[in-house]
Amino acid sequence: QVELVESGGGSVQPGGSLRLSCKASGNLFSVLTMAWHRQAPGQQRELVASINTRRSANYADSVRGLFTISRDNAMNTVSLELHSLKPDDTAVYYCYARIPHYDLKLSDYWGQGTQVTVSS
């Protein structure tokens, strides 16, 4: 069993910053792609940023240059720094990880979600 546990999030004024963190734990020996997605009310979940084991990152156009994703392979953690936040960034942010099993099959895991609210 694998679990993704998120921390961080909260409420911030426009222009503010937040940091989200996520740790994968359980019966695992490796974590492949890690990512953050978000879902605003009434909208579909969208990819915010992803990072592979070589720490090569990709970002949604809407957050490139504003958000930074990073990971610690030894600790199986992924973080997202959010800067210059706007009300449009308000959403539930979900941690994601693709994890191989010992039989080399791949499974996708999601965290429980953490709320980010940007409001004055």
Side-chain angles (χ1 to χ4, degrees):
Q1 186 69 16
V2 173
E3 185 179 28
L4 300 184
V5 178
E6 300 148 341
S7 60
S11 295
V12 65
Q13 292 186 341
S17 299
L18 286 172
R19 179 181 175 89
L20 309 181
S21 295
C22 173
K23 181 174 177 61
S25 61
N27 187 22
L28 60 88
F29 63 91
S30 177
V31 181
L32 302 178
T33 299
M34 302 188 83
W36 289 94
H37 290 68
R38 68 185 179 186
Q39 187 167 19
Q43 298 188 20
Q44 291 187 335
R45 190 174 298 190
E46 64 174 356
L47 175 66
V48 176
S50 65
I51 186 167
N52 63 19
T53 56
R54 297 181 180 182
R55 299 186 177 86
S56 176
N58 288 295
Y59 296 91
D61 289 343
S62 59
V63 306
R64 187 175 292 112
L66 301 175
F67 294 4
T68 302
I69 191 170
S70 61
R71 67 183 289 170
D72 183 327
N73 290 334
M75 299 297 292
N76 294 324
T77 60
V78 61
S79 297
L80 186 69
E81 294 184 9
L82 301 75
H83 298 289
S84 301
L85 284 161
K86 304 182 291 290
D88 284 350
D89 295 315
T90 296
V92 178
Y93 284 69
Y94 295 91
C95 176
Y96 160 90
R98 173 157 288 184
I99 295 173
H101 298 286
Y102 289 99
D103 60 2
L104 301 185
K105 292 182 180 178
L106 303 177
S107 292
D108 297 331
Y109 293 89
W110 295 88
Q112 79 281 5
T114 185
Q115 178 70 46
V116 171
T117 302
V118 184
S119 173
S120 56

